[in-house]
Amino acid sequence: MASRYDLMNDLMSRGLHRVWKDIMITTLNPPKNEAPFALIDVAGGTGDIAFRAAKAAGSGFRATVCDINTDMLDVGRNRAPRVISTSRFRSSRAMRKRWRFPTAPLTPTPSRSGSATCRGIDAALREAYRVLRPGSRFLCLEFSTVDVPGLDRLYDFFSFKVIPPLGRAVTGDADSYQYLVESIRKFSQANAFAEMIRAAAFRG
Ligand SMILES: C[S@@+](CC[C@H](N)C(=O)[O-])C[C@H]1O[C@@H](n2cnc3c(N)ncnc32)[C@H](O)[C@@H]1O
């Protein structure tokens, strides 16, 4: 399943996830020179975001991708040499009380969709704050609910009637995609999540 995860992303979002990630990398704006720049990609899956950041960055860039799912990390690790040789991959749970990172050398923390599946998001946000050194940034790419009348029904239809069967056809696993769409529905609204981020001491 992990080997077809990125293909599934393209099919589910009709390629839109590439645009979202590109916007994230533009916002991240890593230095193009040899200045040190460290990134932790939490719930980084196969490392797609970290690889994009590496392409946009200069020689001072290094990344750590962490994810709960070692199969995802294995897919990323096998791809890494072709794109970036300095990524390190670790298996870790975003909800561990203390992330296994030192506090000093780490800078921004993008993640995507890991927060939707985390219980105890407050603790994960506080931990993200702890491992970031002053001047670093926290970026989060996450789904939320759609509240545009009409579009919300279309979104629900696509989420529940199309994505799980598509997941079965492409990866042989409908359950994980059913879980994904359900977890997105249970996740906070964007404004509430922004408030949780602020409450964890982050300032915009
Ligand atoms: C939708 S994928 C996103 C992967 C990647 N960030 C991307 O954009 O392609 C969500 C990832 O979060 C990971 N994940 C879910 N819960 C997690 C947790 N509690 N701790 C760490 N990783 C988690 C999953 O294994 C999965 O790889």
Side-chain angles (χ1 to χ4, degrees):
M1 181 211 164
S3 62
R4 311 205 82 188
Y5 168 79
D6 292 291
L7 169 65
M8 212 20 220
N9 263 354
D10 274 328
L11 295 174
M12 273 192 305
S13 72
R14 304 179 76 92
L16 252 185
H17 76 107
R18 295 167 182 265
V19 177
W20 300 329
K21 289 171 181 170
D22 284 348
I23 293 171
M24 186 178 204
I25 301 305
T26 303
T27 307
L28 185 64
N29 191 22
K32 313 283 181 282
N33 54 25
E34 66 283 353
F37 187 86
L39 173 138
I40 315 172
D41 188 358
V42 177
T46 57
D48 197 27
I49 288 173
F51 295 165
R52 285 165 192 272
K55 275 190 196 163
S59 59
F61 177 87
R62 65 193 173 80
T64 300
V65 179
C66 64
D67 199 280
I68 200 171
N69 183 329
T70 50
D71 291 341
M72 297 284 272
L73 293 175
D74 285 344
V75 171
R77 194 179 291 114
N78 289 335
R79 271 185 209 153
R82 292 202 299 273
V83 189
I84 171 173
S85 57
T86 49
S87 285
R88 287 178 297 137
F89 290 80
R90 298 179 180 200
S91 171
S92 76
R93 290 172 183 262
M95 295 316 306
R96 287 176 69 92
K97 266 207 158 132
R98 305 275 290 182
W99 289 356
R100 272 179 275 167
F101 301 119
T103 52
L106 305 165
T107 320
T109 307
S111 78
R112 188 186 145 245
S113 272
S115 22
T117 54
C118 279
R119 271 169 279 155
I121 295 168
D122 291 333
L125 288 171
R126 280 197 301 275
E127 191 57 5
Y129 185 79
R130 186 188 70 81
V131 300
L132 293 174
R133 67 181 173 193
S136 2
R137 285 170 295 151
F138 171 87
L139 278 72
C140 182
L141 181 56
E142 190 51 87
F143 293 105
S144 188
T145 48
V146 172
D147 48 17
V148 179
L151 193 59
D152 51 357
R153 289 219 299 276
L154 192 66
Y155 181 59
D156 278 349
F157 176 82
F158 186 73
S159 297
F160 290 102
K161 301 290 182 204
V162 178
I163 289 181
L166 191 63
R168 181 183 296 113
V170 175
T171 68
D173 178 4
D175 291 348
S176 293
Y177 286 94
Q178 179 74 28
Y179 176 71
L180 175 72
V181 294
E182 286 175 5
S183 67
I184 290 169
R185 292 308 182 288
K186 287 181 198 148
F187 188 60
S188 314
Q189 298 279 345
N191 287 343
F193 186 43
E195 193 42 55
M196 290 168 86
I197 293 171
R198 276 192 287 273
F202 289 98
R203 292 286 169 260

